């Protein structure tokens, strides 16, 4: 679901932006989780859900009267956390584009307030639709990559490199991913991972494995071995279906 954030210190223009965004959301029937509109950069940043940045679009006024921070300040902080958050600058100072380039923010659009209302509404509509298209494309390709979050940082591993993901005894909600190049601990849920990645296999209530990384299966001991030397338990009720999957691979 889409998250929308708006920064604008002029009340009339803020209302115009909100109405234009809402109209697009209604016309395109876009599912939205929330829209937050603020006049101060600090207040907006405090309201941002950092875990949902990849599904967020920001409409940011570059110049904020009487405030040392501005839309570029907000964008800079957002971009350091997420490469996928979409950022649209709305400004009457087109010369500020050089600052955007210097900060390497890579915005989706730069809207000039001096343009006609019809033109700006059309740009806003196009930006939100483009955001949705990009998000859908990423979702289609995301199954080839496993991503997890530690703090405010997002990490990705090619799915083919993962050996297994397991729960950590005594640490509810904490998982451990093992790949051919790294091991990491993160907050997650095996049920969600199992549903999202059908190419992985739940061989045990506490373990999900990548069948393509299995070197051998000891059906007597009910242990699956990886080329790295690691091994995991296989539950009795999952053994038969696991054997079929491995034979297919």
């Amino acid at each position: 679901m889409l998250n929308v954030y708006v920064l604008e210190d002029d009340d009339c223009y803020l209302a115009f932006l909100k109405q234009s965004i809402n109209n697009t959301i209604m016309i395109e029937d876009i599912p939205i989780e929330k829209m937050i509109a603020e006049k101060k950069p600090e207040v907006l940043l405090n309201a941002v859900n950092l875990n949902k940045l990849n599904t967020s679009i920001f409409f940011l006024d570059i110049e904020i009267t009487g405030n040392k921070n501005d839309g570029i300040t907000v964008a800079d902080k957002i971009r350091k956390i997420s490469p996928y958050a979409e950022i649209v600058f709305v400004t009457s100072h087109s010369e500020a584009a050089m600052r955007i380039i210097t900060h390497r923010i890579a915005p989706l659009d730069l809207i000039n307030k001096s343009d006609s209302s019809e033109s700006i509404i059309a740009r806003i509509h196009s930006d939100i639709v483009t955001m949705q298209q990009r998000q859908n494309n990423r979702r289609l390709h995301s199954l080839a990559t496993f991503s997890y979050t530690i703090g405010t940082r997002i990490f990705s591993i090619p799915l083919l490199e993962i050996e297994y993901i397991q729960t950590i005894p005594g640490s509810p909600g904490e998982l451990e991913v093992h790949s051919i190049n790294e091991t990491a601990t993160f907050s997650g849920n095996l049920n969600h991972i199992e549903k999202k990645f059908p190419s992985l296999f739940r061989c045990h209530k506490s373990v999900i494995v990548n069948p393509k990384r299995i070197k051998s299966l000891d059906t007597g001991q009910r242990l699956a071995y990886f080329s790295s030397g690691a091994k995991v338990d296989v539950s009795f009720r999952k053994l038969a279906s696991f054997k079929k999957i491995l034979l297919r691979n």
Side-chain angles (χ1 to χ4, degrees):
M1 297 180 72
L2 184 65
N3 292 273
V4 182
Y5 298 93
V6 184
L7 175 67
E8 171 58 56
D9 62 349
D10 180 271
D11 288 325
C12 291
Y13 208 83
L14 181 61
F16 167 70
L17 291 176
K18 289 171 62 179
Q19 185 62 55
S20 301
I21 293 166
N22 278 323
N23 287 345
T24 294
I25 290 169
M26 181 181 64
I27 292 170
E28 297 294 333
D29 193 24
I30 296 173
I32 181 171
E33 184 169 331
K34 63 180 177 182
M35 178 168 70
I36 294 178
E38 298 290 349
K39 298 171 65 174
K40 296 182 178 181
E42 301 83 0
V43 178
L44 184 72
L45 280 170
N46 287 335
V48 171
N49 185 339
L50 298 179
N51 293 321
K52 299 291 183 67
L53 282 182
N54 289 348
T55 57
S56 299
I57 185 168
F58 292 77
F59 292 88
L60 305 174
D61 185 8
I62 290 182
E63 298 290 334
I64 303 298
T65 304
N67 197 315
K68 65 179 181 179
N69 295 318
D70 55 19
I72 293 180
T73 304
V74 173
D76 196 33
K77 292 182 179 180
I78 294 303
R79 183 57 79 230
K80 287 177 180 177
I81 301 172
S82 170
Y84 299 121
E86 299 292 359
I87 296 170
V88 176
F89 288 111
V90 185
T91 182
S92 54
H93 302 276
S94 57
E95 68 276 5
M98 185 54 66
R99 286 182 59 205
I100 298 171
I101 295 173
T102 302
H103 283 255
R104 299 182 180 180
I105 293 168
L108 173 63
D109 199 1
L110 176 63
I111 295 176
N112 196 320
K113 290 183 180 181
S114 63
D115 291 343
S116 67
S117 296
E118 292 78 10
S119 174
I120 293 172
I121 290 171
R123 293 276 288 276
I124 290 173
H125 185 110
S126 176
D127 291 336
I128 294 176
V129 169
T130 299
M131 162 72 176
Q132 280 293 100
Q133 292 171 342
R134 290 183 177 181
Q135 192 173 324
N136 289 338
N137 288 337
R138 284 198 299 270
R139 190 177 294 114
L140 287 174
H141 294 290
S142 66
L143 294 181
T145 304
F146 178 78
S147 298
Y148 59 93
T149 303
I150 299 178
T152 59
R153 298 185 65 187
I154 299 173
F155 300 86
S156 295
I157 304 173
L159 197 61
L160 287 175
E161 294 185 4
I162 290 179
E163 291 186 333
Y164 63 97
I165 304 168
Q166 66 179 5
T167 59
I168 301 176
S171 299
E174 292 294 303
L175 302 178
E176 192 172 69
V177 57
H178 294 255
S179 74
I180 60 176
N181 294 313
E182 62 184 284
T183 299
T185 301
F186 64 99
S187 297
N189 183 288
L190 283 186
N191 292 330
H192 294 165
I193 294 172
E194 182 181 16
K195 291 177 182 178
K196 184 175 181 180
F197 299 98
S199 64
L200 302 181
F201 181 76
R202 187 78 168 265
C203 70
H204 189 278
K205 65 179 181 180
S206 60
V207 184
I208 289 177
V209 299
N210 182 356
K212 295 185 180 299
R213 286 288 165 191
I214 299 295
K215 181 180 180 181
S216 64
L217 174 65
D218 185 331
T219 56
Q221 297 293 321
R222 299 203 307 275
L223 292 172
Y225 292 87
F226 300 89
S227 297
S228 63
K231 61 182 178 181
V232 296
D233 293 322
V234 179
S235 68
F236 177 79
R237 67 185 186 88
K238 291 295 185 88
L239 191 59
S241 54
F242 195 22
K243 286 169 61 178
K244 290 181 181 179
I245 289 174
L246 292 180
L247 289 172
R248 286 203 303 266
N249 287 336

